[in-house]
Amino acid sequence: MAVTVTFVSKVFSVVLLIIVLLETIVALRTIQTELNPGCDDTKEDCAGGVAYIKAIGDQNTFHYILTAIGPPTVLVIKTEKTTKDAGISINWDNFKSGNITEMENSIKLDPSYKILYSYGVVFTRLFQYNDTTDVAELGKLNLNKTAFRVFDFSRSMFEWFDLKAISSDSAIKLRVKNSSAVMGQTINNGSLEFKFMFFDHMDRATDLPHLQYTEDTSQFDFKLMNINTGNMSLSRFALETVLFSTDPADRDMKFDETKSIDDEYTPGVFTISNWLTRPEKEEQGGYLQHKPVCYTKAYRERAVGTYVRGYGLTKVTDVQYLLNQSAVLAYFGSENMAKLRISSTNFSFGLSEDGTFTKTNYTVWTGSLGYGKPPMDAVSSLVVVVISVGLGIPVVLIIFGGIFVCLKKKSDPLLVDVSKNAMSVN
Amino acid sequence: MTESEKKPLLGSTDEEEEKLTGCGKTLCCNPFRFLHRYLILIIMCFLSFGSYFCYDNPAALQDTMIKDLKISESAFMGFYSWYSWPNVILCFFGGFLIDKTFGVRLGAIIFSLFVTAGQVVFALGALVNKVWLMDVGRFIFGIGGESLAVAQNTYAVKWFQGRELNMVFGLQLSFSRVGSTVNMNIMQPIYKFVSNSGHKGYECLGIVLFIGGIICILSLICALALGYFDKRADRILQRKQLTSEETIRITDVKDFPATMWLLCIICVMYYVASIFEMKWDFDPSLANNVNSLVYIISAVASPVFGFLIDKTGRNIFWVILGTTVTIGCHALLAFTFINPYVAMITMGFSYSVLASALWPIAAQIVPNNQLGTAYGIMQAIQNLGLAVVAIIAGAIVDSKGYLVLEVFFLVCLCVALIASVLLYLLDASKGGKLNMSAKLRQIMKEEADREKEKEEKKPL
């Protein structure tokens, strides 16, 4: 019986495999990338640069505007589809000026598009602290005794490489060139990098944590490496992140954590977090999705994974000056920016007893920024087969074995409990 | 324990031929008396204490070792591979040699010597900062360590069969746990103490490991003492000497009954499922607490369960119970979010039940003159299983996660359960000797004694 079940399961898994192989990847959107539109690198300085990605679908189009001019920002605009080949226009001088009034409306989307929704993310600050007590949690630090650095991603403090030189059509990189020193330490020469990837189909990332992506999402890696942490020999980092959307500001965003027993895609991680811009109607809102794990070596594996801690959402107040330098202001203008729904949180990297950032001097964290209902992991058919075959056969054996024994016991006197025999001897 | 302490378990002192005088007559030293047996039990427990203590020296000093010797994680793990892989085969021969050539007394002494020598070489390697020499040390240590455990089991059966054997096995498990726990807690302070006294780096490490070696010497002394007392008891109790025809041949192994092999299957399939350390969704304090909790529970609970099993008999039912409960615990861990403490604590108990009930069964299956070999085989197969499964489990968890790993363990446990049910059936068809209740065993024994008496009287 066991043999037949194994055989059936084998056939089943082969069929599954064939189905998977036959399932060709269907492109659901057309991706068009423009780097530094309207800025000629050969003649002028495009600073950190701007990437403009258009993901054109049958129903609608997503416009992604990425820039490291000002704090690193991704702005996503959802529009109806138009037949025209129009895009964005940038007044580079005004955008680069950093002056609020000059910057206003220096980035414009072609008016032929009917805008449906906009949202996006701004990375505002990087915190560094010397975790001498190894708590790895921002709220538990004794701020009087902990050496603490704050790096503002402000225009005056950070200089970024021109993204055009280091990016490809499908992977946009925002890479730090240099920073001014905070307590004697700089972040320079590519030690900090954001990488954004765009997709025309639905699949799962090849790298851990194997997050699922769709044609409506982009995935990002945030990477820190080769930082001379100097006298902070137990350095840990945290990234302040701001999410905004064109929803009414009187309601709040939501940070959801979902637990699952299934960690097949991300071994050792049983949680997935979704930061929703529009919890009242999540299928028509944006989200930032991540699993609370980052990897401390370039070769990602479970053993080098450590924790990413999220903190409660707060309304943005103390980084307004950074938003005022960002592409958000350049696109919306200050009046409309004030109407946006905005909230922020910190993501801190590391966990007690993991040796801190300094141990490997490398951390990479992956998330995705998307629109609609966030993809949720489902137990894969492989695991279902493994569970049902692996546990089914023994359970069936035990049940039938049990019945067999009971029947046999009745008919075969040899199997009658020996104690009765022996007692009768006495 | 209290009940059995009240009455001398071996009542028929009239067979005594050698007159015991002086101290030898007292409760403590008279091999006929229970207290003497318990004193021997203490020595027996300390026999392998040294090897359990030193086995985990590297784990206790992991960070310092990696730093002082400037080695990689994998080179560090080598200290464990050099111990475990050779023992996939070696402890079978260890057990066989106990039966064939050495006898349990000489065997225990020789293997204790290996343990001590291995630790000394290991420490020496650290002292001169030669990792290959340390590997050699671990290899020698391994030759001794596992075979010493076999000798310990053989001793236990020799002294306690038909009495408190299950409890003794439980107590031995508990001592192995105590040994590694003490090591885990004491080695770092010793290291700090030595390094404060001016020795640094690998030199300090070497000295600390030499200090660990002292415990091995303690165990060696136990082996010598045990040898002396065992010989004395053989003489006084007039235990049967083996004739040359009775000694085991290597070919006897193939004639081991099927029940013995089922026992091996249960042993390996059950133990492989208990090796892993779960990483609780990034909560290191939880992981540490839970794992040490399981250790402490099994240390305390196994002698208690052993005692219970002694009182009730029916070892196979206990094995089935232990396996079933463990399956339930793993299912809880795999498929629910119930606090892992619940499952892990229960697992600590079921593990104790199994360890106390399983090993004594072998003594019922295999004649005493082949017991060393039988335990050697069980231990060897267990080592093989653990070594192989450690690799498989690592590969599974890295590629498919803990859920699939748990399912894998559940499958292993189901195989163990099936094997134990088969063991029960096979045994029942042969008269149910293994699963006899303690009461019935007593009755059968008395019956047998009476028969014997009758037969002895007949010729007169």
Side-chain angles (χ1 to χ4, degrees), chain B residues 422-443:
Chain B
L422 280 179
L423 179 65
Y424 167 73
L425 293 177
L426 208 61
D427 172 54
S429 72
K430 283 181 188 166
K433 197 177 82 177
L434 305 182
N435 200 38
M436 220 179 266
S437 71
K439 206 169 143 194
L440 186 63
R441 189 160 286 151
Q442 190 65 32
I443 293 168

Side-chain angles (χ1 to χ4, degrees), chain A residues 140-208:
Chain A
K140 287 188 181 164
L141 294 176
N142 183 341
L143 291 175
N144 295 326
K145 287 183 184 165
T146 309
F148 207 92
R149 288 191 178 103
V150 179
F151 292 93
D152 287 351
F153 292 130
S154 65
R155 292 180 183 226
S156 53
M157 196 157 182
F158 273 85
E159 193 187 343
W160 301 76
F161 286 104
D162 182 354
L163 59 83
K164 188 169 182 179
I166 51 178
S167 300
S168 66
D169 279 359
S170 55
I172 309 298
K173 290 176 183 168
L174 312 180
R175 188 181 288 169
V176 165
K177 198 176 196 174
N178 211 342
S179 78
S180 37
V182 178
M183 292 163 65
Q185 183 191 308
T186 61
I187 291 179
N188 52 36
N189 208 14
S191 299
L192 184 156
E193 183 188 283
F194 293 94
K195 181 171 100 177
F196 286 86
M197 286 146 292
F198 299 88
F199 310 96
D200 59 6
H201 63 281
M202 190 167 137
D203 204 352
R204 205 171 266 287
T206 45
D207 279 337
L208 278 171

